[in-house]
């Protein structure tokens, strides 16, 4: 039979979704699965966004503009201005989720076999986007010991070669929840200017910062305009993962002009989803205040409960809604599958995301998991209780 492409064979499976068949089998057996594995918020989508679609009177569902409607992009620019980020509608391309924005960014700034440096652990799909673009990821490990802070700049410099085109960060981080400080962002900004690289920042969790900390965007750094590319999305901010609307932002006109050609190849972003996303920009600050208060409460409870378990080490997130926990086991992939196939407490089990898939360096993260605290607090307590019992039984085998 015909063979698939080498690129297709090299595409990594999602560490978040590859366990779904085992979870579905558990559910068919009657086991209730508590999902700690995926960042799907349980927070209600703003009513104003849903009403905008319900009440629209479109009679012909036409193509939108390739770069997204001008009205929506103008309102996005207004949103950023409130965050002390000053861009125009012409600096923005609306995309089908943040995922497409990242793909456009890689296709725009890198050729086959070019290199991109990414602190690990990182959002697992970065590996997939890089593979699809023919780009080589050069990982640089951060450590749970210091909460996954930015590695020393000297470590970045050690990895830079003539093939290096960019550094990619996620801020706040998925899967770690780490929030880069203004000082760390400026260190990276100085580095990319020194070596004439791009700095790409995935800022989709910008709104979720805790303990009085504030998000600092790479677009706020003066003199970085030609180097800075930001990826954003409505998915997490407004609990609208299914809308699949994101955007690519840069003051570099050549970047935007080139990314637009990639966008033209897929025609346009979805119309109704843009309508919902545009309306979502009217969401009052009180919505975010309530959401952040809820996530802080969940985070604090989760960390407290995890720290009660023997042998567990956990990093405290400063943003987003994930944490990485290091377990007293050797293989989190095997443990996660075992949880779904062979373990339950009173008809319940938990589904976690093995963290090895969030690393590019083989062997790292083998005993770590990512937990998404997007569940109500009673479910989080229940899940940690089950996890503790599971670890005791698993290690006693």
């Amino acid at each position: 039979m015909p063979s698939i492409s080498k690129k297709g064979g090299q595409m990594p499976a999602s560490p978040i979704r590859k366990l779904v068949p085992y979870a579905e089998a558990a559910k068919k057996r009657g086991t209730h699965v508590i999902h700690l594995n995926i960042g799907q918020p349980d927070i209600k989508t703003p009513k104003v966004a849903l009403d905008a679609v319900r009440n629209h009177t479109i009679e012909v569902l036409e193509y939108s503009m390739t770069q997204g409607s001008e009205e929506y992009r103008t309102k996005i620019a207004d949103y950023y201005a409130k965050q002390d980020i000053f861009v125009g509608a012409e600096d923005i391309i609306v995309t089908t989720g943040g995922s497409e924005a990242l793909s456009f960014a890689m296709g725009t700034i890198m050729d086959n076999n070019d290199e991109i440096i990414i602190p690990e652990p990182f959002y697992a799909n970065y590996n997939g986007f890089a593979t699809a673009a023919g780009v080589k990821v050069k990982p640089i490990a951060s450590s749970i010991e210091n909460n996954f802070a930015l590695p020393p700049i000297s470590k970045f410099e050690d990895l830079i070669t003539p093939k290096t085109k960019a550094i990619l960060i996620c801020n706040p981080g998925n899967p770690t929840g780490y929030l880069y400080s203004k000082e760390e962002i400026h260190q990276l900004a100085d580095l990319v200017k020194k070596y004439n690289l791009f700095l790409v920042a995935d800022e989709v969790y910008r709104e979720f910062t805790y303990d009085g900390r504030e998000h600092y965007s790479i677009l706020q750094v003066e003199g970085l305009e030609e180097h800075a590319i930001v990826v954003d999305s409505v998915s997490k901010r407004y609990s609208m993962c299914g809308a699949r609307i994101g955007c690519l932002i840069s003051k570099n006109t050549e970047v935007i002009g080139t990314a637009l050609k990639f966008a033209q190849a897929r025609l346009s972003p979805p119309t109704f989803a843009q309508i919902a996303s545009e309306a979502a920009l009217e969401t009052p600050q009180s919505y975010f205040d309530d959401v952040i208060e809820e996530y802080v409460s969940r985070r604090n409870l989760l960390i407290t409960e995890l720290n009660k378990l023997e042998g567990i080490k956990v990093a405290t997130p400063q943003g987003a809604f994930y944490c990485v926990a290091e377990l007293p086991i050797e293989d989190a992939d095997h443990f996660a599958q075992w949880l779904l196939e062979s373990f339950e407490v009173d008809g319940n089990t938990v589904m976690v995301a093995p963290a090895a898939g969030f690393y590019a360096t083989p062997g790292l993260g083998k005993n770590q998991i990512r937990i998404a605290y997007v569940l109500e607090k009673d479910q989080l307590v229940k899940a940690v209780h089950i996890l503790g019992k599971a670890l005791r039984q698993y290690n006693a085998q």
Side-chain angles (χ1 to χ4, degrees):
M1 73 182 228
S3 61
I4 62 168
S5 67
K6 291 181 180 178
K7 185 183 293 184
Q10 292 168 353
M11 280 292 287
S14 168
I16 306 169
R17 298 178 183 271
K18 69 180 181 181
L19 292 170
V20 167
Y22 302 104
E24 293 305 305
K27 292 172 186 177
K28 288 179 181 178
R29 295 194 306 269
T31 302
H32 174 66
V33 178
I34 302 175
H35 286 270
L36 300 176
N37 61 303
I38 193 163
Q40 169 59 62
D42 64 344
I43 305 297
K44 287 186 177 180
T45 303
K47 185 174 182 294
V48 66
L50 299 177
D51 285 347
V53 175
R54 290 190 188 104
N55 301 330
H56 215 281
T57 57
I58 288 177
E59 294 185 355
V60 178
L61 195 57
E62 299 176 336
Y63 289 119
S64 69
M65 294 177 65
T66 290
Q67 61 268 56
S69 77
E70 185 170 0
E71 183 180 19
Y72 178 39
R73 287 181 292 115
T74 299
K75 289 184 178 180
I76 294 175
D78 292 340
Y79 158 80
Y80 288 124
K82 296 174 184 176
Q83 318 294 320
D84 292 324
I85 299 169
F86 300 101
V87 295
E90 69 278 6
D91 303 318
I92 300 168
I93 296 176
V94 178
T95 58
T96 308
S99 299
E100 188 176 70
L102 277 160
S103 295
F104 286 174
M106 287 192 179
T108 294
I109 64 177
M110 288 180 281
D111 292 310
N112 280 341
N113 297 315
D114 279 344
E115 298 169 353
I116 185 168
I117 300 172
I118 315 177
E120 61 181 350
F122 52 72
Y123 176 47
N125 282 340
Y126 293 166
N127 278 321
F129 301 144
T131 300
V135 171
K136 184 176 181 180
V137 171
K138 299 291 287 290
I140 178 168
S142 60
S143 172
I144 196 171
E145 305 299 336
N146 65 354
N147 230 30
F148 298 106
L150 186 75
I153 290 297
S154 61
K155 299 290 186 181
F156 286 87
E157 290 194 283
D158 289 343
L159 293 178
I160 294 174
T161 74
K163 283 285 190 180
T164 305
K165 291 295 180 69
I167 295 171
L168 169 60
I169 61 171
C170 185
N171 187 35
N174 174 9
T176 65
Y178 185 77
L179 178 68
Y180 290 110
S181 68
K182 182 176 180 179
E183 179 184 6
E184 288 172 322
I185 294 298
H186 275 275
Q187 288 176 348
L188 289 170
D190 290 342
L191 182 67
V192 298
K193 286 190 287 185
K194 177 180 178 180
Y195 289 94
N196 198 29
L197 308 175
F198 288 100
L199 180 56
V200 184
D202 180 345
E203 298 185 352
V204 304
Y205 298 98
R206 177 191 298 111
E207 225 75 38
F208 307 111
T209 62
Y210 312 133
D211 307 324
R213 294 179 173 88
E214 293 185 0
H215 179 265
Y216 187 72
S217 172
I218 64 170
L219 292 173
Q220 292 173 274
V221 181
E222 292 186 12
L224 198 64
E225 291 80 9
E226 298 303 310
H227 303 263
I229 302 172
V230 161
V231 167
D232 207 347
S233 169
V234 305
S235 293
K236 314 301 182 177
R237 180 170 302 130
Y238 304 110
S239 195
M240 290 172 59
C241 295
R244 309 311 307 135
I245 290 291
C247 60
L248 181 74
I249 313 113
S250 181
K251 299 288 285 186
N252 184 317
T253 57
E254 190 173 9
V255 165
I256 291 296
T258 304
L260 182 60
K261 290 187 285 186
F262 283 93
Q264 288 168 342
R266 62 83 164 108
L267 303 184
S268 64
T271 299
F272 269 125
Q274 285 185 82
I275 290 169
S277 300
E278 181 179 331
L281 290 168
E282 300 172 16
T283 304
Q285 182 59 41
S286 59
Y287 172 88
F288 298 108
D289 293 341
D290 291 344
V291 170
I292 289 170
E293 182 180 354
E294 177 64 21
Y295 279 140
V296 168
S297 178
R298 292 179 182 184
R299 178 203 64 174
N300 293 345
L301 177 65
L302 175 65
I303 299 300
T304 297
E305 293 300 310
L306 286 171
N307 281 326
K308 293 177 182 177
L309 303 184
E310 185 177 354
I312 279 190
K313 184 183 298 179
V314 59
T316 300
Q318 301 159 336
F321 36 68
Y322 308 102
C323 75
V324 171
E326 194 166 280
L327 307 181
I329 57 174
E330 292 184 1
D331 189 341
D333 280 275
H334 183 270
F335 176 65
Q337 185 174 330
W338 175 84
L339 278 170
L340 296 169
E341 287 189 311
S342 307
F343 184 80
E344 63 177 52
V345 176
D346 299 326
N348 298 275
T349 192
V350 296
M351 186 176 183
V352 297
F358 296 91
Y359 288 83
T361 301
L364 290 186
K366 286 282 289 180
N367 63 341
Q368 296 177 350
I369 60 172
R370 186 195 74 171
I371 295 174
Y373 46 96
V374 291
L375 302 175
E376 293 182 352
K377 291 191 282 291
D378 62 334
Q379 288 296 297
L380 289 175
V381 172
K382 185 177 183 179
V384 175
H385 172 71
I386 294 171
L387 186 63
K389 283 194 170 186
L391 285 168
R392 288 192 292 273
Q393 182 171 320
Y394 184 80
N395 286 325
Q397 296 179 120

